[in-house]
Amino acid sequence: MSQLKKNVAVFTGTRAEYGLLYWILKDIQRDPALNLQLVVSGTHLSPSFGMTYKNIENDGFHIAATVEMLLSSDSAIGTAKSTGLGIIGFTDAFARLQPDVIIILGDRFEALAAAQTAMLLRIPIIHLHGGEITEGAYDDSIRHAITKMSYLHGVSTEEHRHRVIQLGEAPERVENIGAVGLDHLTKSTLMSLSELSCSLNFSLNKDFFIVTYHPETLGEVSPEVAFQELLDALNQYPNHQVILTFPNADDGGSGIIRMIEDYRTAHPERVFAIASLGHIRYLSAVKHCAAVIGNSSSGIIEVPSLGKPTVNIGIRQKGRVSASSVIHCESSQASITNAIARALSQEFRQHASQVTNPYGKGDSSARVLTMIKTLKTPATKAFFDVDNIKVSEVK
């Protein structure tokens, strides 16, 4: 391999963030000046979450390193210990790979472990989707922490750019590139309804909802109690089918997974449940669904570009910029039921089909590659304010 190539490590720890990174990975992979080093961890390696590293390989990517870090616990103690295990594993991986730069997206504890390691090893970080606000999850603090460890910042809106600058980052190192997941809308081919049904081996013969619900890690109500309110609201719409996807590996997530499986068993003709749809099937399902329901960031960032209503439940995404096609509601059955009714109204569906998404138009990947290629070692050396220490020297 030519020594002139720049080693670009890209971290992924969950199915959701991998889907957002897909076109960045593809563009790095086929650029002759860059060497993609894909570092896979978190739920990708977990049987409970579908072993989604296999999807990554099926997409044609070589995985340069895997880092096992998840304990079989979804408690706060388990999450903290998993983060520590991640730091140990990422240290070994980065020491072997010798990346010139690493790309980290978002705000999860798996990403925090990777960012801490890269920062301590003096590897410059390009952080994507910084400056956002999600008051209902500790991801909010993690996101800002990763921002402070990072050298370059690709943010999704102008508001988020200003917030990163307010955190003390140099304006010339913060660029509004839009939401990276929207590149799928300009580069990917989505499935027809019949193709989607065949792929899922589940007949989608009625109007259907897509439901993804994650625990509110800073919420006052237990995840199981909150999720039961959502299930009770879905029962008010028996003529709609439901696609349920599993939550991420957050505190309390295993209880929600058990409830999802029980709900599917109780309604086999109406409910389809899956650990991970993958990015193409997910966006294809959004294209054909009646509404997206839950508290996933995708309902706010990607779904408006497909012209569909979103019902955003509770406080997990509180503070995040959203289009007018997003209906915010409380976590009670009554509030969710009313929000779904509004989303299904002809007037609101017409409105959702015409909104402008504040997160951009789907041209982020090329801008990220420009950031990678223009990254200069002297600038990063000044940023770290240390001698030029190589990763291999760190024991």
Side-chain angles (χ1 to χ4, degrees):
M1 182 177 296
S2 170
Q3 294 301 309
L4 297 177
K5 283 194 173 187
K6 183 174 288 186
N7 289 332
V8 183
V10 182
F11 163 79
T12 177
T14 72
R15 68 183 193 253
E17 137 238 68
Y18 165 69
L20 302 180
L21 290 166
Y22 176 85
W23 281 108
I24 294 175
L25 295 172
K26 280 293 182 187
D27 288 348
I28 294 172
Q29 183 185 54
R30 58 196 178 198
D31 193 304
L34 304 176
N35 176 40
L36 174 63
Q37 298 176 321
L38 189 53
V39 180
V40 173
S41 187
T43 57
H44 286 304
L45 308 177
S46 169
S48 299
F49 293 89
M51 300 290 281
T52 48
Y53 79 88
K54 296 178 182 178
N55 297 339
I56 296 173
E57 292 178 332
N58 290 338
D59 284 339
F61 295 113
H62 168 70
I63 297 175
T66 57
V67 176
E68 294 272 8
M69 62 179 286
L70 292 186
L71 298 176
S72 57
S73 166
D74 63 354
S75 67
I77 291 174
T79 300
K81 288 183 176 180
S82 293
T83 304
L85 289 174
I87 292 172
I88 295 171
F90 292 125
T91 300
D92 292 339
F94 296 161
R96 176 174 61 84
L97 295 174
Q98 293 283 300
D100 295 302
V101 61
I102 182 168
I103 296 175
I104 298 176
L105 185 150
D107 46 34
R108 290 189 51 78
F109 69 87
E110 303 96 334
L112 176 64
Q116 285 180 264
T117 307
M119 182 268 296
L120 291 171
L121 298 183
R122 279 73 168 178
I123 303 167
I125 300 169
I126 297 177
H127 184 214
L128 307 178
H129 278 272
E132 301 178 12
I133 296 292
T134 52
E135 296 179 14
Y138 53 48
D139 297 0
D140 205 46
S141 299
I142 291 174
R143 187 184 311 108
H144 295 335
I146 296 175
T147 288
K148 296 307 299 179
M149 297 179 198
S150 301
Y151 181 65
L152 294 177
H153 310 269
V155 301
S156 57
T157 72
E158 196 62 23
E159 178 178 327
H160 300 149
R161 179 177 179 274
H162 289 307
R163 186 170 292 120
V164 169
I165 293 170
Q166 287 176 336
L167 288 169
E169 300 305 293
E172 65 271 19
R173 292 192 277 105
V174 188
E175 183 180 352
N176 176 11
I177 64 171
V180 298
L182 297 184
D183 281 35
H184 282 294
L185 304 181
T186 57
K187 298 180 178 181
S188 298
T189 300
L190 302 185
M191 297 177 172
S192 67
L193 184 59
S194 60
E195 289 172 333
L196 178 63
S197 295
C198 182
S199 177
L200 298 177
N201 195 26
F202 182 81
S203 178
L204 293 167
N205 50 26
K206 298 181 180 179
D207 288 345
F208 66 93
F209 303 131
I210 303 173
V211 179
T212 302
Y213 187 86
H214 304 292
E216 292 180 351
T217 50
L218 294 181
E220 297 179 354
V221 178
S222 76
E224 291 89 347
V225 170
F227 189 62
Q228 186 60 54
E229 294 289 316
L230 169 54
L231 295 180
D232 291 342
L234 293 175
N235 287 336
Q236 305 306 307
Y237 296 90
N239 293 325
H240 282 75
Q241 292 179 301
V242 181
I243 297 177
L244 280 162
T245 63
F246 287 8
N248 285 323
D250 292 312
D251 306 352
S254 61
I256 291 178
I257 292 174
R258 287 192 296 270
M259 295 173 71
I260 289 174
E261 292 173 336
D262 290 344
Y263 193 68
R264 171 180 57 188
T265 300
H267 307 278
E269 300 299 322
R270 175 173 167 256
V271 176
F272 177 81
I274 189 170
S276 172
L277 282 170
H279 49 278
I280 295 298
R281 287 196 302 192
Y282 176 78
L283 292 174
S284 299
V286 171
K287 177 182 176 181
H288 300 293
C289 77
V292 174
I293 303 169
N295 61 4
S296 171
S297 61
S298 65
I300 293 178
I301 296 176
E302 286 89 49
V303 172
S305 289
L306 288 163
K308 297 294 182 174
T310 296
V311 174
N312 179 59
I313 301 169
I315 64 170
R316 184 179 175 93
Q317 302 297 336
K318 184 179 180 182
R320 198 186 285 275
V321 174
S322 61
S324 57
S325 59
V326 179
I327 302 170
H328 301 279
C329 67
E330 297 177 357
S331 297
S332 67
Q333 174 193 334
S335 183
I336 299 169
T337 300
N338 290 337
I340 294 173
R342 182 183 173 199
L344 295 179
S345 69
Q346 184 62 37
E347 180 181 4
F348 195 85
R349 291 169 63 186
Q350 178 66 23
H351 170 73
S353 69
Q354 299 173 342
V355 301
T356 299
N357 191 340
Y359 287 93
K361 299 179 180 180
D363 58 353
S364 300
S365 179
R367 302 174 76 173
V368 173
L369 260 66
T370 299
M371 296 170 73
I372 296 169
K373 291 183 175 182
T374 56
L375 182 66
K376 303 295 183 183
T377 300
T380 58
K381 181 179 177 183
F383 170 67
F384 288 118
D385 195 26
V386 295
D387 292 332
N388 190 14
I389 302 174
K390 291 187 178 298
V391 178
S392 58
E393 296 171 358
V394 182
K395 304 299 183 183

